[in-house]
């Protein structure tokens, strides 16, 4: 309900309107307290995406960001270039994947962590897979660059919980603990070779 595809293939864009989630979102739909232009969520995400593109990480290329003041509040929007032919990891695991696939996912996640990229909501929907089985990441709202720390393991645990949850919702999905072990093997192998 907060994203819209704009333009024509092959140059299509994704317009995302920032909406509140959780309990606050039931009361306030899309307003944020304005504390200065540097703190606008769309601008912060645009800057982070630009840095990640410069690092060579697979993320949507930022195109535009805006905010609109509403008294002491603001609403915000972000436009990125649409990633062609990607599917969320949650959909890709409808078919069985080998250990090499899971190791490559772990290695790619390590690549983000190695650059200090913190993803506040790493889950099986924000991880996207292209036709070459390469990992792309979406939705860096509240993301930032951080020095190494416990947050890296916390984001991996969040992803693990996400995969377990979607498997519990649809037992036909192909995700086993051995797949998770292969993902961790890829992550830590990349860590040792970095």
């Amino acid at each position: 309900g907060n994203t819209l595809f704009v333009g024509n293939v092959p140059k299509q864009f994704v317009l995302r309107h920032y909406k509140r989630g959780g309990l606050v979102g039931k009361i306030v739909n899309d307003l944020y307290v304005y504390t200065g232009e540097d703190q606008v969520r769309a601008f912060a995400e645009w800057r982070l995406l630009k840095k990640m593109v410069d690092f060579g990480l697979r993320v949507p290329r930022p195109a535009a960001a805006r905010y609109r003041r509403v008294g002491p509040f603001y609403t915000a929007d972000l436009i990125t270039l649409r990633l062609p032919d990607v599917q969320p990891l949650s959909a890709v695991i409808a078919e069985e994947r080998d250990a090499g696939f899971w190791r490559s996912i772990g290695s790619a996640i390590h690549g983000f962590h190695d650059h200090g990229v913190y993803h506040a909501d790493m889950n099986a929907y924000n991880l996207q897979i292209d036709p070459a089985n390469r990992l792309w990441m979406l939705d860096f709202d509240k993301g930032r660059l951080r020095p190494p720390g416990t947050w890296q393991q916390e984001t991996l645990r969040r992803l693990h919980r996400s995969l377990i949850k979607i498997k519990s919702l649809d037992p036909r999905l192909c995700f086993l603990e051995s797949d998770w072990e292969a993902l961790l093997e890829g992550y830590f192998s990349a860590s040792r070779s970095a």
Side-chain angles (χ1 to χ4, degrees), residues 19-117:
K19 288 189 153 189
R20 289 194 166 275
L23 195 55
V24 174
K26 295 185 185 312
I27 302 164
V28 179
N29 185 32
D30 64 351
L31 293 176
Y32 299 88
V33 176
Y34 182 78
T35 58
E37 201 168 86
D38 285 347
Q39 305 303 314
V40 169
R41 291 169 84 135
F43 288 2
E45 187 170 354
W46 192 99
R47 287 188 299 267
L48 180 58
L49 286 170
K50 173 70 170 87
K51 286 179 184 174
M52 289 188 289
V53 166
D54 292 345
F55 293 154
L57 297 173
R58 288 188 290 272
V59 296
R61 185 174 294 276
R66 76 156 197 135
Y67 73 98
R68 187 174 60 88
R69 291 281 303 268
V70 182
F73 304 101
Y74 73 92
T75 63
D77 302 283
L78 177 70
I79 297 177
T80 57
L81 194 60
R82 184 176 184 185
L83 301 174
D85 302 322
V86 294
Q87 292 183 61
L89 179 60
S90 60
V92 168
I93 61 174
E95 298 175 14
E96 191 172 339
R97 299 295 169 154
D98 65 13
F101 169 82
W102 290 102
R103 280 193 294 273
S104 71
I105 298 301
S107 178
I109 291 170
H110 179 270
F112 282 86
H113 286 179
D114 195 42
H115 282 91
V117 175

Side-chain angles (χ1 to χ4, degrees), residues 48 117-123 126 138-144 146 151 154-155 158:
L48 180 58
V117 175
Y118 167 70
H119 194 298
D121 190 18
M122 189 185 296
N123 61 51
N126 288 332
L138 304 179
D139 191 5
F140 284 91
D141 184 27
K142 297 189 229 168
R144 60 187 182 275
R146 298 175 71 174
W151 62 267
E154 290 164 9
T155 58
R158 181 175 181 81

Side-chain angles (χ1 to χ4, degrees), residues 11-25:
K11 262 281 202 297
Q12 217 173 19
F13 296 89
V14 178
L15 167 63
R16 190 171 96 232
H17 183 68
Y18 285 76
K19 288 189 153 189
R20 289 194 166 275
L23 195 55
V24 174

